[in-house]
Amino acid sequence: MTEIIELNVGGVHYTTTLDSLLEDKSSLLCEMFSKRNDLLKDAKGRYFLDRDGVLFRFILDYLRDKQLNLPEGFREKQRLQKEAKHYKLNGILDCMRRERESRTPGCITIGYRGSFQFGKDGLADVKFRKLSRVLVCGRVALCREVFGDTLNESRDPDHGGPDRYTSRFFLKHCFIEQAFDMLHEQGFRMAGSCGSGTAGSAAEPKPGVDAEENRWNHYNEFVFIRE
């Protein structure tokens, strides 16, 4: 029977077998655990690795199954790639490369209407940028791939399947930078943008809407493409 190994990776504890750690003969883990005399141990006798303990679960799963299975919307691929390079696990790097190469090209447009919220002193007391909603336009399947469970589809009943296009999606949050980060992580780059100026509305604000905020209303769109 193979030996059971207790690990402490950056404070996260794992239990695995020696066979799993030796699975990839060209890896750093195989090199380390083939001869364990120089490995550090924590106070409870577990082998200590000073690396990212959370991401090590994917390293261990790959060694066990020879497959890289990442959760939907996984946002730490660059960090995982760094860990795979450290452990000399070329199989993981190959899986990530194939995944990038298999990505479907396409275009997604992000839009938002915003203003600024003011305090009692008007311009001297600007509190924060105020976004009412972040809109998402594009092919349904592509939008779901990028934004996962942060995508709110309630205004767009599913008619016609995932290959259709829509301009009615929006995000469950109002952080435009988070949307940009998610697009960047999925290999998109910004191709263009446009926006309206502020203080351009001559219409009377709706009841309950601050007149100063209304003057600073603006709308912006950003076009992202993946080739």
Side-chain angles (χ1 to χ4, degrees):
M1 183 179 292
T2 186
E3 183 178 351
I4 303 298
I5 301 292
E6 298 283 341
L7 298 173
N8 176 350
V9 186
V12 183
H13 303 150
Y14 293 92
T15 301
T16 187
T17 65
L18 181 61
D19 285 352
S20 292
L21 295 172
L22 301 181
E23 178 64 30
D24 190 324
K25 303 306 179 186
S26 62
S27 72
L28 179 61
L29 288 169
C30 182
E31 179 183 330
M32 294 168 65
F33 285 90
S34 295
K35 43 185 179 181
R36 289 167 274 165
N37 296 335
D38 297 330
L39 293 183
L40 291 175
K41 290 188 177 182
D42 66 11
K44 294 188 177 181
R46 292 174 291 223
Y47 291 104
F48 178 73
L49 304 179
D50 191 16
R51 300 298 301 180
D52 191 313
V54 175
L55 292 180
F56 190 77
R57 59 181 283 215
F58 302 110
I59 302 292
L60 202 52
D61 283 347
Y62 174 79
L63 291 173
R64 290 166 174 160
D65 304 328
K66 284 299 181 184
Q67 292 181 339
L68 182 62
N69 296 311
L70 301 178
E72 184 177 348
F74 182 70
R75 300 184 59 194
E76 296 193 273
K77 290 182 180 179
Q78 289 185 339
R79 290 179 61 86
L80 179 58
Q81 185 176 9
K82 178 182 176 182
E83 293 300 297
K85 288 181 179 178
H86 171 78
Y87 291 115
K88 301 178 184 178
L89 289 166
N90 293 325
I92 291 181
L93 298 175
D94 288 342
C95 288
M96 299 182 78
R97 176 183 54 78
R98 288 195 297 269
E99 189 271 336
R100 289 194 300 270
E101 292 174 349
S102 64
R103 289 172 175 170
T104 305
C107 173
I108 291 178
T109 299
I110 300 295
Y112 78 87
R113 187 178 302 281
S115 184
F116 294 94
Q117 189 168 56
F118 299 92
K120 295 180 180 179
D121 297 328
L123 288 177
D125 190 19
V126 178
K127 294 188 177 299
F128 54 81
R129 182 177 60 186
K130 185 178 179 181
L131 303 187
S132 58
R133 185 164 287 175
V134 178
L135 307 175
V136 178
C137 309
R139 190 159 55 85
V140 169
L142 200 58
C143 295
R144 288 173 177 165
E145 175 190 338
V146 173
F147 296 109
D149 59 6
T150 67
L151 193 67
N152 193 325
E153 304 183 32
S154 62
R155 293 179 60 226
D156 188 79
D158 192 10
H159 299 301
D163 288 333
R164 65 189 175 88
Y165 289 80
T166 182
S167 60
R168 297 183 63 81
F169 284 165
F170 62 95
L171 299 183
K172 296 177 182 178
H173 60 80
C174 290
F175 302 108
I176 190 72
E177 290 81 8
Q178 183 177 341
F180 291 171
D181 282 343
M182 297 179 79
L183 284 157
H184 175 71
E185 289 165 4
Q186 291 294 326
F188 284 81
R189 63 177 179 84
M190 188 184 298
S193 64
C194 63
S196 66
T198 58
S201 175
E204 288 293 322
K206 296 179 180 179
V209 177
D210 183 83
E212 189 65 31
E213 286 183 26
N214 188 64
R215 288 182 60 240
W216 290 87
N217 281 340
H218 56 280
Y219 180 77
N220 294 282
E221 282 191 342
F222 305 87
V223 179
F224 288 83
I225 62 171
R226 184 169 71 186
E227 299 175 344

